[in-house]
């Protein structure tokens, strides 16, 4: 674990079950979110997905796990099952989801035996019981050996309240408001498949919440984990590798990309991972465009630097040349595999997040405006003259110039104004937006 990091741990409610019984639908229902990908394909969830929930005065975390298997020898299903076992070990209560419309399978029985051996309290959620006839059939699932059996319909929200009442029995009430606590910095880890996003997440949080494999595209849903570094909370979100749309054919991959973009919008800072051995590719540029369009603070992370055969200065120039839309993003050189300089990302993230929400007083901005040398700017048409400047937004910092100019600023003028603001006030790591309006 990285020095200065101390994980916090509210009660853990873990959802388990074989593939395609509705675990992710139940997770989304309990957390009132669309955090987990849901579909008819089996095995959509691979990593553990975790979200905090406050229900009837109790604060706890709910974890959605991948479909448990006992008879698979392939790498990915085996890694998923290993993650499920770890989640069960960490649980304060387990919700065991079974399909109420089908008979019990060998996997159901094996999982029930595993849960009985663990000794953690278990509630059986017999899912897809959306008719009274199915409710009466749910009692047959008591043969799994657990007394608490609840017919539910995660899709329609039926039977959720009695299930949660049982599952959270013994969890202490927590009336403290989250608003009184420091809000964490939320960071989206982005990049194309197999650049080391999951390895970096595991290294940053000092554990292994994400599955790591040499198989590209192992991560399908976003995986998040929290760390504390020098009294600052960080939530890192490992997103699925983003491919170009023309190369994305499977429904699961398309959903993963949509979810990655959604988590980018929710984040305060983006980490864009690139592989220095291959250089910045067209795919990397495509992802950088997403980050720029979302107006997010960003750090370009040259991962696997321990295996790169090039100088930092030369690669930094290469990044600036290829990622022209991210001139404000610092470049960090790390190795997630060995831990090389990974700790340096914490202060960089904190600085970029602070810059994204920085506000400059109007009086200071207008002193800056009075000192601007507009004669240095050559633009077509009438010479622009600005008489008033104010900051109208943060994330990203947005500035409004008033004067004799209306409409879209010329590219050269826009770039000059942004560069001058950045030189005077900093804003390292975050984009800056400038607009103009006529005083009339």
């Amino acid at each position: 674990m990285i020095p200065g990091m101390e994980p916090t741990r509210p009660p853990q409610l873990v959802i388990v079950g074989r593939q395609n019984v509705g675990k992710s639908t139940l997770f989304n229902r309990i957390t009132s979110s669309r955090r987990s990908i849901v579909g008819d394909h089996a095995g959509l969830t691979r990593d553990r997905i975790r979200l905090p929930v406050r229900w009837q005065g109790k604060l706890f975390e709910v974890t959605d796990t991948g479909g448990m298997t006992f008879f698979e020898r392939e790498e990915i299903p085996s890694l998923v099952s290993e993650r499920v076992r770890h989640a069960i070990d960490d649980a304060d209560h387990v919700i065991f989801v079974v399909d109420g419309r089908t008979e019990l399978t060998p996997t159901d029985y094996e999982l029930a035996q595993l849960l009985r051996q663990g000794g953690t309290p278990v509630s059986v959620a017999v899912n897809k019981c959306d008719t009274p006839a199915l409710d009466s059939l749910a009692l047959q699932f008591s043969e799994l050996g657990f007394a608490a059996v609840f017919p539910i319909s995660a899709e329609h929200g039926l039977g959720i309240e009695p299930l949660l009442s049982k599952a959270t029995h013994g969890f202490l009430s927590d009336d403290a408001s989250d608003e009184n606590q420091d809000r964490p910095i939320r960071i989206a880890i982005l990049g194309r498949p197999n650049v080391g996003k999951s390895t970096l997440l595991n290294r940053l949080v000092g554990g292994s919440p994400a599955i790591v494999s040499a198989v590209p595209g192992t991560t399908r849903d976003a995986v998040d984990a929290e760390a504390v570094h020098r009294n600052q909370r960080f939530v890192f979100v490992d997103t699925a590798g983003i491919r170009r749309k023309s190369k994305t054919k499977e429904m699961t991959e398309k959903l993963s990309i949509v979810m990655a973009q959604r988590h980018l919008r929710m984040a305060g800072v983006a980490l864009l991972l690139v592989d220095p051995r291959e250089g910045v590719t067209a795919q990397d540029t495509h992802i950088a465009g997403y980050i720029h369009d979302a107006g997010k603070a960003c750090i370009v992370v040259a991962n696997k630097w321990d295996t790169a055969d090039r100088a930092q200065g030369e690669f930094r120039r290469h990044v600036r040349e290829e990622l022209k839309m991210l001139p404000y993003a610092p470049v960090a050189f790390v190795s997630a595999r060995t831990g090389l300089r990974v700790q340096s990302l914490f202060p960089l993230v904190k600085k970029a997040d602070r810059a994204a929400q920085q506000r400059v007083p109007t009086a200071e901005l207008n002193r800056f405006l009075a000192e601007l040398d507009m004669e240095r700017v050559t633009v077509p048409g009438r010479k622009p003259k600005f008489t008033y400047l104010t900051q109208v937004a943060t994330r990203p910092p947005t500035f409004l110039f008033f004067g004799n100019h209306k409409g879209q600023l010329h590219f050269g003028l826009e770039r000059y104004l942004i560069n001058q603001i950045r030189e005077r006030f900093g804003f390292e790591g975050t984009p800056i937006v400038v607009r103009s309006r006529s005083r009339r």
Side-chain angles (χ1 to χ4, degrees):
M1 182 174 291
I2 295 174
M5 292 170 49
E6 298 176 1
T8 57
R9 188 187 184 280
Q12 304 294 304
L13 182 61
V14 175
I15 302 172
V16 302
R18 58 182 170 85
Q19 294 180 350
N20 222 30
V21 292
K23 298 184 299 299
S24 294
T25 305
L26 178 59
F27 175 85
N28 290 343
R29 174 66 64 178
I30 293 174
T31 59
S32 301
S33 72
R34 293 184 180 177
R35 180 65 174 79
S36 284
I37 295 177
V38 176
D40 293 330
H41 289 41
L44 292 184
T45 303
R46 287 177 170 175
D47 289 289
R48 284 188 279 175
I49 315 298
R50 181 183 296 139
L51 276 183
V53 172
R54 187 179 293 281
W55 186 77
Q56 293 189 353
K58 298 176 180 179
L59 180 64
F60 52 94
E61 286 187 342
V62 183
T63 299
D64 180 21
T65 61
M68 188 67 173
T69 58
F70 289 89
F71 313 105
E72 292 276 358
R73 296 192 177 184
E74 294 183 11
E75 179 186 10
I76 299 301
S78 298
L79 288 171
V80 171
S81 296
E82 181 184 346
R83 288 292 184 271
V84 176
R85 293 172 188 268
H86 287 317
I88 292 171
D89 291 340
D90 294 339
D92 294 289
H93 195 101
V94 173
I95 296 180
F96 178 15
V97 184
V98 294
D99 189 337
R101 295 182 177 179
T102 65
E103 294 182 354
L104 290 170
T105 68
T107 299
D108 291 324
Y109 287 112
E110 291 285 344
L111 181 51
Q113 182 177 353
L114 176 67
L115 292 173
R116 287 195 300 271
Q117 291 171 349
T120 302
V122 175
S123 295
V124 178
V126 185
N127 194 25
K128 307 180 185 179
C129 291
D130 43 19
T131 67
L134 290 172
D135 283 1
S136 61
L137 292 175
L139 295 176
Q140 70 181 357
F141 291 91
S142 59
E143 67 180 272
L144 290 171
F146 304 102
V149 179
F150 298 88
I152 69 163
S153 172
E155 183 177 358
H156 301 293
L158 303 175
I160 303 300
E161 186 164 334
L163 171 65
L164 280 181
S165 294
K166 176 63 177 178
T168 62
H169 180 71
F171 291 4
L172 297 177
S173 295
D174 180 11
D175 298 324
S177 171
D178 288 340
E179 295 177 356
N180 296 330
Q181 303 175 12
D182 293 334
R183 293 189 178 275
I185 300 173
R186 194 169 183 86
I187 305 102
I189 304 176
L190 300 166
R192 50 194 170 87
N194 224 31
V195 291
K197 298 183 296 299
S198 297
T199 305
L200 180 63
L201 173 76
N202 293 343
R203 178 68 67 173
L204 285 165
V205 303
S208 54
I211 291 176
V212 177
S213 168
V215 179
T218 299
T219 302
R220 284 180 171 173
D221 205 340
V223 180
D224 58 1
E226 182 172 320
V228 179
H229 184 264
R230 295 184 179 177
N231 297 321
Q232 172 64 57
R233 294 166 59 210
F234 299 82
V235 175
F236 293 95
V237 184
D238 171 25
T239 62
I242 299 177
R243 306 175 190 266
R244 291 199 302 273
K245 287 184 178 179
S246 61
K247 293 191 175 182
T248 306
K249 297 179 181 179
E250 286 189 21
M251 181 273 289
T252 53
E253 279 200 64
K254 292 180 180 178
L255 283 174
S256 297
I257 292 173
V258 170
M259 294 295 283
Q261 292 173 316
R262 180 168 178 254
H263 290 295
L264 171 62
R265 292 194 298 271
M266 294 167 61
V269 180
L271 298 183
L272 172 57
L273 267 64
V274 297
D275 189 334
R277 300 170 302 178
E278 301 176 22
V280 176
T281 67
Q283 251 174 294
D284 297 325
T285 306
H286 185 66
I287 299 168
Y290 282 138
I291 297 170
H292 177 72
D293 291 344
K296 296 300 177 181
C298 179
I299 298 161
V300 177
V301 181
N303 190 27
K304 307 181 183 180
W305 191 251
D306 57 318
T307 61
D309 186 20
R310 54 202 312 176
Q312 289 188 12
E314 181 265 329
F315 187 74
R316 189 178 280 109
R317 288 190 294 272
H318 169 68
V319 169
R320 295 287 175 246
E321 181 65 29
E322 298 298 325
L323 301 180
K324 295 183 183 297
M325 71 290 287
L326 300 178
Y328 49 84
V331 182
F333 301 89
V334 308
S335 170
R337 184 180 63 85
T338 66
L340 174 71
R341 288 192 288 273
V342 168
Q343 292 186 56
S344 68
L345 294 177
F346 286 99
L348 286 174
V349 165
K350 194 171 182 178
K351 186 175 182 180
D353 184 71
R354 190 185 303 121
Q357 55 186 329
Q358 178 181 341
R359 277 194 176 274
V360 183
T362 300
E364 195 171 339
L365 285 173
N366 283 284
R367 284 194 294 271
F368 158 78
L369 180 62
E371 298 169 8
L372 267 183
D373 183 8
M374 298 301 295
E375 296 300 322
R376 294 174 55 185
V377 188
T378 303
V379 295
R382 185 168 57 163
K383 199 77 172 177
K385 182 179 180 180
F386 299 115
T387 57
Y388 186 75
L389 171 62
T390 187
Q391 184 176 354
V392 295
T394 59
R395 295 191 183 277
T398 303
F399 299 87
L400 186 59
F401 287 80
F402 291 86
N404 65 352
H405 189 282
K406 61 180 180 180
Q408 182 71 32
L409 289 169
H410 183 269
F411 171 74
L413 175 60
E414 180 183 49
R415 183 171 58 181
Y416 172 74
L417 295 175
I418 289 175
N419 288 342
Q420 293 301 306
I421 291 172
R422 198 180 297 282
E423 183 177 328
R424 179 69 168 267
F425 302 109
F427 294 104
E428 181 182 357
T430 181
I432 293 174
V433 176
V434 295
R435 296 174 182 155
S436 68
R437 183 179 297 173
S438 171
R439 285 302 292 260
R440 296 179 184 178

